[in-house]
């Protein structure tokens, strides 16, 4: 089955302003759908407050943090810090999308609603980490200050279409990262909390994915080029945080987020749902972008297979050492 999109006007005719106006009705429709299916929840209900106790400082009975105080696995701790620091940059993310999408009408309502929902994620994760003593609280705050002091600039801030394409994939990537972190955390309380966050992220993905689908109908060539650019150059928003490269490598080995997961669970589902590689009626630029996207996905699949082999070999070596 193929999806045929109308070739409406030349790429040069579609400015960001025109696209924002043309997609306003879709945003309103998706916003109303989102508000019907989403459920408000209380961050404090997911935090094990009874596990908490004072830290040293102003309290005479304060107890110093010790790694042995938490049941969370080492890979769980690493991923939790990365995920929380990513959520911490919400003020910068809000500034980016509010500047790009605007603060009025359906776009503005969505921007503020999205920000409010995302705010819960950082609240509940930090409260959980401190109450359960999963990570060093001093280092966590030092990392937060360092990361936020650097600010954040999106790779896709130059284009409304690139930004919509990016968040369609990024929201799903965040959902997968949170969900896998919960599974690997070793703590059912943590798993339940991250499952709740992941539900939000999935609904956010659906909003942007459907918006991206509407963009394909309006401006297929431009949207295809934007998707091609975003997929080929994709980076998670936390890439600038302290020690991100090392943490990302550990999360890849720990099967929280790696090339195979990125290909199979993030890129493919969105591309498949929108039938991006089957869209017809494209102009020369759109066709080229579609071909390049297909080639990139094939190459990524091959690279992911190589990673799978290395990971399997590593597991075999570790199992042999344990048995010996």
């Amino acid at each position: 089955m193929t999806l045929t999109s109308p070739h409406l006007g030349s790429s040069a005719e579609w400015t960001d302003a025109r696209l924002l106006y043309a997609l306003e009705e879709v945003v309103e429709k998706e916003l109303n759908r989102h508000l019907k299916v989403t459920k408000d929840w209380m961050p404090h209900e997911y935090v094990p407050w009874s596990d908490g106790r004072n830290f040293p400082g102003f309290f005479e009975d304060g107890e110093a943090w010790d790694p042995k105080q938490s049941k969370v696995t080492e890979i769980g701790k690493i991923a939790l810090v990365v995920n929380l620091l990513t959520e911490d940059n919400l003020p910068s993310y809000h500034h980016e999308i509010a500047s790009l999408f605007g603060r009025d009408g359906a776009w503005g309502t969505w921007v503020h609603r999205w920000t409010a929902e995302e705010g819960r994620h950082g609240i509940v994760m930090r409260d959980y980490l401190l109450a359960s003593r999963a990570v060093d609280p001093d280092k966590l705050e030092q990392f937060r200050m360092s990361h936020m002091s650097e600010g954040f600039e999106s790779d896709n801030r130059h284009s409304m279409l690139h930004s919509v394409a990016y968040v369609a994939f990024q929201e799903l990537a965040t959902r997968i990262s949170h969900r896998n972190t919960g599974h690997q955390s070793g703590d059912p309380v943590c798993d339940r909390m991250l499952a709740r966050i992941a539900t939000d992220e999935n609904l956010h993905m659906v909003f942007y994915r459907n918006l991206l689908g509407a963009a394909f109908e309006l401006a297929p060539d431009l949207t295809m080029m934007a998707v091609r650019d975003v997929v080929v150059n994709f980076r998670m928003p936390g890439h600038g945080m302290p020690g991100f490269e090392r943490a990302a490598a550990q999360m890849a080995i720990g099967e929280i987020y790696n090339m195979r997961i990125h290909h199979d669970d993030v890129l493919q589902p969105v591309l498949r749902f929108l039938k991006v590689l089957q869209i017809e009626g494209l102009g020369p630029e759109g066709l080229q972008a579609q071909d390049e996207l297909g080639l990139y996905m094939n190459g990524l699949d091959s690279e992911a297979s190589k990673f799978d082999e290395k990971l399997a070999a590593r597991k075999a070596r570790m199992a042999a050492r344990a048995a010996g």
Side-chain angles (χ1 to χ4, degrees):
M1 178 178 177
T2 57
L3 180 68
T4 303
S5 292
H7 192 66
L8 303 179
S10 68
S11 297
E13 294 176 5
W14 282 112
T15 62
D16 275 4
R18 279 196 67 198
L19 282 165
L20 285 167
Y21 179 78
L23 289 168
E24 179 91 23
E25 279 190 28
V26 180
V27 172
E28 184 174 3
K29 174 187 173 184
E30 289 301 316
L31 172 62
N32 290 335
R33 180 198 54 75
H34 176 83
L35 293 175
K36 286 180 181 178
V37 298
T38 192
K39 294 180 180 179
D40 280 337
W41 54 280
M42 303 300 140
H44 57 266
E45 294 180 355
Y46 288 80
V47 179
W49 298 107
S50 59
D51 292 348
R53 47 211 186 273
N54 292 337
F55 288 103
F58 295 104
F59 298 99
E60 293 182 1
D61 63 343
E63 181 182 349
W65 178 81
D66 187 285
K68 298 177 183 177
Q69 293 167 344
S70 171
K71 65 183 76 172
V72 175
T73 61
E74 284 305 309
I75 187 59
K77 293 176 182 178
I78 292 167
L80 279 164
V81 171
V82 169
N83 291 348
L84 175 56
L85 292 180
T86 300
E87 300 287 356
D88 274 335
N89 246 348
L90 181 60
S92 290
Y93 307 148
H94 174 83
H95 174 74
E96 290 264 341
I97 66 170
S99 299
L100 197 62
F101 298 154
R103 295 173 172 82
D104 301 317
W107 280 105
T109 303
W110 166 254
V111 166
H112 298 309
R113 175 71 194 193
W114 174 88
T115 302
E117 291 183 7
E118 287 286 340
R120 292 185 180 126
H121 304 167
I123 291 170
V124 72
M125 289 178 69
R126 174 166 283 97
D127 287 347
Y128 166 81
L129 290 176
L130 296 179
S132 67
R133 293 190 168 230
V135 299
D136 185 335
D138 292 345
K139 286 187 177 179
L140 183 64
E141 177 59 10
Q142 290 163 7
F143 283 154
R144 187 190 72 83
M145 285 295 295
S146 176
H147 185 39
M148 292 193 70
S149 295
E150 289 294 318
F152 172 81
E153 287 190 344
S154 169
D155 294 333
N156 303 289
R157 63 188 180 280
H158 62 286
S159 159
M160 173 267 194
L161 273 181
H162 282 72
S163 295
V164 170
Y166 176 75
V167 289
F169 295 107
Q170 184 267 322
E171 292 283 4
L172 183 52
T174 305
R175 170 188 178 265
I176 295 297
S177 181
H178 282 312
R179 204 69 194 92
N180 288 343
T181 298
H183 292 329
Q184 302 276 15
S185 69
D187 181 7
V189 175
C190 180
D191 192 21
R192 183 167 58 247
M193 171 192 67
L194 292 176
R196 176 58 260 191
I197 293 174
T199 299
D200 280 0
E201 304 290 12
N202 195 63
L203 290 176
H204 296 165
M205 178 276 294
V206 171
F207 178 95
Y208 287 119
R209 183 198 65 192
N210 292 351
L211 190 57
L212 185 62
F216 266 116
E217 294 182 8
L218 283 174
D221 289 336
L222 273 181
T223 306
M224 185 66 73
M225 289 187 281
V227 169
R228 183 262 326 268
D229 294 343
V230 164
V231 169
V232 170
N233 300 297
F234 187 89
R235 296 195 295 176
M236 290 295 273
H239 60 80
M241 70 179 59
F244 178 78
E245 288 76 14
R246 176 175 171 78
Q250 292 169 309
M251 290 168 67
I253 294 172
E255 297 182 270
I256 288 176
Y257 201 93
N258 55 39
M259 278 193 288
R260 174 53 63 199
I261 293 170
H262 183 60
H263 178 277
D264 290 1
D265 301 336
V266 176
L267 299 181
Q268 283 283 30
V270 175
L271 296 175
R272 190 182 305 119
F273 182 88
L274 296 177
K275 298 181 174 64
V276 174
L277 296 178
Q278 286 77 48
I279 289 176
E280 295 182 345
L282 297 167
E285 291 179 314
L287 281 172
Q288 180 180 346
Q290 189 180 49
D291 289 343
E292 290 173 352
L293 178 61
L295 289 172
Y296 177 82
M297 290 299 294
N298 290 336
L300 182 62
D301 187 35
S302 297
E303 289 298 313
S305 295
K306 294 176 184 176
F307 175 83
D308 292 341
E309 293 172 4
K310 291 180 180 178
L311 187 60
R314 185 178 187 277
K315 287 182 179 179
R317 290 194 302 271
M318 292 179 68
R321 288 174 190 167

